[in-house]
Amino acid sequence: MYYRIFALRNKKTENMTFDIDMIKKVYARFPERVEAARELTGRPLTLAEKILNAHLWDGTPTQVYQRGVDYVDFAPDRVAMQDATAQMALLQFMQAGKKKVWVPSTVHCDHLIQAKVEASSDLQNAINLNNEVYNFLESVSDKYGIGFWKPGAGIIHQVVLENYAFPGGMMIGTDSHTVNAGGLGMVAVGVGGADAVDVMAGLPWELKCPKLIGIKLTGKLSGWLSAKDVILKVAGILTVKGGTGAIVEYFGEGAIGLSCTGKGTICNMGAEIGATTSLFGYDDSMGRYLRATGRTEVADAADGIAPHLTGDPEVYADPEKYFDEVVEINLSELEPHLNGPFTPDLATPISEMKEAAKKNGWPTSIEYALIGSCTNSSYEDISRSASIARQANELGIESKATLNITPGSELVRYTIERDGFISTFKEMGANVFANACGPCIGQWARSGSDKQEKNSIVHSFNRNFSKRADGNPNTHAFVGSPELVTAIALAGDLTFNPLTDPLYTKEGKQIMLDEPKGQELPDKGFEVEDAGYLEPAEDGSEIEVKVDPTSERLQLLDPFSSWDGGNLLGAKLLIKADGKCTTDHISMAGPWLRFRGHLDNISNNTLTGAVNAFGGATNTVKNQIDGSFGEVPAVARAYKAAGIASVVVGDSNYGEGSSREHAAMQPRHLGVHAVIVNSFARIHETNLKKQGMLGLTFMNENDYHLIQEDDTFNFIDLEDFAPGKPLTIEVVHADGSNDVVVVKHTYNAQQISWYRAGSALNLIKEENAVK
Ligand code: MIC
Ligand code: SF4
């Protein structure tokens, strides 16, 4: 066992601010860069524009970038990685030939802990089971100067919000919900591991200049409404792809009235509308949160440049002039929502749920309700939910469903235990699981889920794709605020509307629940004994990182092969995916998380969740070599063994969801050369490019329908692969006829050089070799 794993070295003490010097440097240059950008554009600026301009790789802005068109190089302030993606990110970083990370970086152990019995035994189990992976992550972190948050410390995004996020900063993280830090006014973007490698290696981070969506919030939340309802409503309006390529900026009196953690919830679920990130301007709620979490110095520094840390008043007064799209929501008129099932943008106001459930045949009985996750486990969320549980306990209402709680961090867990909330929940019959992702990522040992019965669950997480929480494709998951989820647990009924429906005590007495009440921040302050942080070695050069060659969990990477510069001929269709194809369909999490550090082993889940457009089955595709049918990974391996390239075809928003680059690396490892779709989710498209794949989109959406089961693809002008130039594919059908299909791409010159080298990492290595 790597020697530090149990060392209780907890350097995070009260009022200690991580990386304050870096933050001060960012603030010192901020005003001048914002001013330069204002002069260049000749107009007032949104907050997003200010932060982007303050983080240009080349320093002070000298040109105006075209939104949605130009690629821009940025210099993010920090990097965060969670254990399930850090393994691949760090396996790649180890090859980049650097001694230390270039910017402050952290690793968080949160995804691999299974929720089965209760927090402490589940945590111990995870440590036993994942020992090899934790040791690997800890030793790599120690070696390269990366802060390490032990299993049990909490979920990456909560820990980042509590310790690292700062107004006006820029960070990237190898998890799509990195965007959570927008709640503290940070441009925080989810990326694949290869992007993180660039930034940790001291290279620029490239992003297409985002479009800007402004969301004006008027009015005020009250009663049963919570910040969650704002984003559930926004998801309903903008849909799962409405935010693609855009930064969503919230403003208006309604925005200022929200707590900082409520803002975090809204930004967190910006991932569910595909947004690059979401943002709120610096205000008093952020100052309060920074001070409550021991970062008075950051709050003071932010106060010092406060007008620069929010959008210019002229912008917010006349948003249509400055944003590409504006949405307005009156919080006073909002209703609590439940979104789902199977997609986070199917928004139903709670008053319409009875009718909607009936019409759609959604099961209404609720056996499990779950709160917590990185999205909703703030002190405010928990205190409001606990106020509902307390009423039930006092009035003698027995909860019909079991409530499961996954706190977001040890800081919050310790504090809510001290303040009596955990005992309130336990009195209601709830289970408290470890501070980790748990059920949110399929790490939930739900008994009986293998029977695949049709059922519904409600939770306060962010995603509800098929099979996500318990692996059962027939589980209908609905997303709601923690307080509403708690109330629904009591009623055991999806259609329960606490505003109008009564509950019954054990004696049969009818009561109406009072509105939830909570505190934004703990009156007695936050408290924690061991936050779970390990500081890396000052000089890690002597530390040796070992990977057992026989390990089934970790595997050193072999470089992908480079492009010979020729056309790609004779490629076979591996699968044409029908409908929604998220990263969960391409590389399922849950039981497969254990192989996240072993490319060959995890490749055995490739596209097993995708629905085959021919026949509608999952994980059954035709093997064109012998006409047999087999599992997707097996057929891909057969093509690869025969030296035949393969192609994946998909519909719109392909690769929606997670940042996991496994969804790109696995097909690449199995010999897929191109993915051709109607549209991509942003992170996935970049991941494909970084891993040396062709990510292409049909010029004409109807061409998707031309693709048949026995098709062969000839890329007849790939030799001339160039920025802005569409590619032509000759698609040959089984009867010998063919269609010529034109596809678009968004590769710039640099990205084409990744393709040429076989991957972005290969290019870094080539460049290091030349130096
Ligand atoms: C998720 O919520 O889907 C995850 C698990 O956090 C992923 C990251 C991963 O797949 O490891 C994400 O959102 O990026
Ligand atoms: Fe973890 Fe779920 Fe948050 Fe992803 S969305 S980081 S799995 S809690």
Side-chain angles (χ1 to χ4, degrees), residues 11-18 163 293-295 533 535:
K11 284 272 182 81
K12 164 82 178 137
T13 48
E14 236 180 288
N15 287 327
M16 170 183 159
T17 306
F18 286 103
N163 295 279
T293 48
R295 289 170 292 168
Y533 174 68
E535 178 93 348

Side-chain angles (χ1 to χ4, degrees), residues 82 110-111 155-157 175 177 268 373-375 436-437 440-441 461-463 468:
Q82 43 89 341
D110 53 1
H111 279 62
I155 308 173
I156 175 168
H157 313 302
D175 189 285
H177 293 104
N268 180 302
S373 88
C374 66
T375 332
C437 301
C440 179
I441 192 53
F461 310 158
N462 42 34
R463 290 204 173 130
R468 183 166 168 102

Side-chain angles (χ1 to χ4, degrees), residues 469-538:
D470 61 2
N472 174 3
N474 300 316
T475 293
H476 294 50
F478 294 84
V479 182
S481 71
E483 44 274 53
L484 181 63
V485 168
T486 308
I488 291 178
L490 294 173
D493 191 324
L494 176 71
T495 67
F496 175 70
N497 179 356
L499 291 153
T500 53
D501 300 342
L503 285 176
Y504 295 89
T505 65
K506 272 177 263 169
E507 292 77 39
K509 199 170 141 218
Q510 179 174 319
I511 61 110
M512 291 297 293
L513 284 173
D514 288 340
E515 289 170 352
K517 288 215 166 40
Q519 295 98 45
E520 178 185 287
L521 294 163
D523 292 341
K524 286 190 260 164
F526 282 110
E527 208 176 315
V528 69
E529 235 162 50
D530 175 13
Y533 174 68
L534 294 179
E535 178 93 348
E538 212 33 66

Side-chain angles (χ1 to χ4, degrees), residues 129-356:
L129 265 175
N130 305 312
N131 184 21
E132 182 187 3
V133 169
Y134 291 148
N135 282 337
F136 168 75
L137 292 174
E138 202 197 332
S139 60
V140 181
S141 301
D142 207 12
K143 182 172 178 66
Y144 294 106
I146 301 170
F148 184 78
W149 289 81
K150 296 185 293 182
I155 308 173
I156 175 168
H157 313 302
Q158 284 308 310
V159 174
V160 165
L161 197 73
E162 286 162 5
N163 295 279
Y164 299 114
F166 64 99
M170 176 187 273
M171 71 177 284
I172 59 167
T174 59
D175 189 285
S176 61
H177 293 104
T178 303
V179 293
N180 188 68
L184 254 178
M186 191 166 198
V187 165
V189 182
V191 296
D195 281 41
V197 171
D198 284 350
V199 175
M200 291 191 295
L203 298 171
W205 172 61
E206 184 191 60
L207 179 74
K208 190 180 272 181
C209 184
K211 294 200 170 181
L212 303 174
I213 299 178
I215 301 194
K216 180 172 181 179
L217 301 179
T218 59
K220 198 174 181 328
L221 295 178
S222 62
W224 280 90
L225 281 173
S226 93
K228 182 75 156 200
D229 297 303
V230 178
I231 185 63
L232 294 179
K233 174 81 183 171
V234 169
I237 298 171
L238 291 177
T239 79
V240 286
K241 43 183 184 174
T244 308
I247 295 187
V248 179
E249 185 167 327
Y250 292 85
F251 59 94
E253 36 151 350
I256 292 169
L258 296 167
S259 65
C260 175
T261 50
K263 293 176 166 89
T265 296
I266 293 174
C267 293
N268 180 302
M269 276 195 74
E272 273 53 69
I273 56 166
T276 301
T277 195
S278 305
L279 267 180
F280 282 83
Y282 180 62
D283 64 20
D284 205 43
S285 71
M286 295 185 194
R288 289 195 298 273
Y289 185 73
L290 285 169
R291 290 176 205 281
T293 48
R295 289 170 292 168
T296 302
E297 266 184 293
V298 181
D300 289 345
D303 286 344
I305 60 160
H308 295 298
L309 298 177
T310 188
D312 286 338
E314 299 87 334
V315 169
Y316 294 161
D318 196 2
E320 273 81 11
K321 234 169 114 183
Y322 303 97
F323 291 98
D324 298 295
E325 188 180 343
V326 177
V327 175
E328 187 169 332
I329 297 175
N330 183 345
L331 303 186
S332 306
E333 287 169 5
L334 200 61
E335 229 200 285
H337 277 66
L338 280 177
N339 285 21
F342 306 121
T343 185
D345 58 353
L346 185 55
T348 308
I350 183 74
S351 64
E352 291 167 25
M353 194 39 122
K354 290 186 178 65
E355 212 177 306

